[in-house]
Amino acid sequence: EAQVTQNPRYLITVTGKKLTVTCSQNMNHEYMSWYRQDPGLGLRQIYYSMNVEVTDKGDVPEGYKVSRKEKRNFPLILESPSPNQTSLYFCASSSVWGAQYFGPGTRLLVL
Amino acid sequence: GQQLNQSPQSMFIQEGEDVSMNCTSSSIFNTWLWYKQDPGEGPVLLIALYKAGELTSNGRLTAQFGITRKDSFLNISASIPSDVGIYFCAGRGSGNTGKLIFGQGTTLQVKP
């Protein structure tokens, strides 16, 4: 089954404790992206990757890091999480000009 | 920058009614996508449009890519309770980043 998977689905952590949210896709897509979704603000792009070892900032990259060492994986790293990073996070993938397919989401609470 | 206006913001309708929502852009798009999102879940792709004037159906859903390339609409016919959710449009312009611009969403509620 073609899909985008994210782990964990739910995470509660404390300020300053480094965390990684994993994202994996099995569709051989070149393009992968991370979004956060907050009430009233819609979906905002954090980082995206056009291919292996090619990443770039989206609209709200501050406080986040990503890497793309393999085509299928695109982890999101929060080196020092803060409460304003409490949000619902989505990973998505697509062929470069195709429709994006979203993962199920990771709900993060930073205390 | 590019902006998308999606309307209406919310709809409350009776089961069996038809629904229409639309998105307009301040600039030309090459791709229009429509998604549905249930609470706490990821957006699910409903329809993808790649050509101006294209009209595509997916069951009771029909979407069109506007001739001007600055708008798109989604129609749902004979609504049922499971149509409840938030519907998003998304568009992609001519830039080389593949970036999608998202509408703010239309919240649909269906009364049985």
Side-chain angles (χ1 to χ4, degrees):
Chain A
E1 181 188 356
Q3 60 182 353
V4 178
T5 57
Q6 296 178 227
N7 282 291
R9 291 291 312 277
Y10 305 92
L11 181 60
I12 302 174
T13 190
V14 295
T15 298
K17 186 176 182 181
K18 180 179 179 179
L19 66 92
T20 299
V21 184
T22 65
C23 173
S24 182
Q25 50 94 5
N26 63 0
M27 295 169 278
N28 202 36
H29 284 159
E30 298 87 2
Y31 187 97
M32 297 186 75
S33 181
W34 276 102
Y35 297 90
R36 61 179 290 175
Q37 187 176 40
D38 303 288
L41 297 176
L43 281 161
R44 295 181 292 170
Q45 190 179 49
I46 302 170
Y47 268 94
Y48 66 94
S49 169
M50 301 283 279
N51 215 322
V52 176
E53 302 291 2
V54 180
T55 64
D56 210 343
K57 297 177 180 178
D59 298 317
V60 288
E62 294 77 21
Y64 304 95
K65 286 176 57 177
V66 293
S67 69
R68 188 90 182 272
K69 293 182 170 52
E70 304 166 286
K71 197 171 187 178
R72 63 184 293 128
N73 296 324
F74 190 46
L76 179 70
I77 303 157
L78 283 71
E79 294 269 3
S80 183
S82 63
N84 65 11
Q85 292 178 297
T86 292
S87 187
L88 180 56
Y89 291 87
F90 292 105
C91 179
S93 76
S94 69
S95 57
V96 176
W97 302 114
Q100 287 188 15
Y101 294 88
F102 285 80
T106 295
R107 189 169 291 279
L108 173 65
L109 173 62
V110 183
L111 300 174
Chain B
Q2 294 175 316
Q3 294 184 355
L4 268 187
N5 292 313
Q6 184 172 350
S7 65
Q9 196 170 16
S10 63
M11 304 180 75
F12 190 92
I13 63 170
Q14 196 78 29
E15 181 178 1
E17 290 183 354
D18 296 344
V19 172
S20 184
M21 59 192 78
N22 68 85
C23 282
T24 58
S25 168
S26 58
S27 55
I28 289 174
F29 281 168
N30 294 325
T31 302
W32 282 99
L33 307 169
W34 285 93
Y35 292 88
K36 182 191 177 197
Q37 185 178 22
D38 293 325
E41 301 294 326
V44 174
L45 180 68
L46 299 174
I47 293 178
L49 303 162
Y50 297 104
K51 293 182 181 178
E54 182 179 356
L55 182 71
T56 298
S57 294
N58 178 6
R60 294 178 296 104
L61 278 61
T62 301
Q64 184 159 29
F65 192 140
I67 290 291
T68 65
R69 295 170 63 193
K70 291 185 176 183
D71 62 342
S72 177
F73 72 75
L74 174 71
N75 287 342
I76 306 173
S77 63
S79 59
I80 59 178
S82 63
D83 290 334
V84 166
I86 302 176
Y87 293 79
F88 289 99
C89 63
R92 180 184 288 125
S94 57
N96 60 359
T97 66
K99 181 177 180 176
L100 288 180
I101 309 297
F102 288 89
Q104 291 299 309
T106 296
T107 300
L108 177 63
Q109 298 183 50
V110 179
K111 183 178 181 182

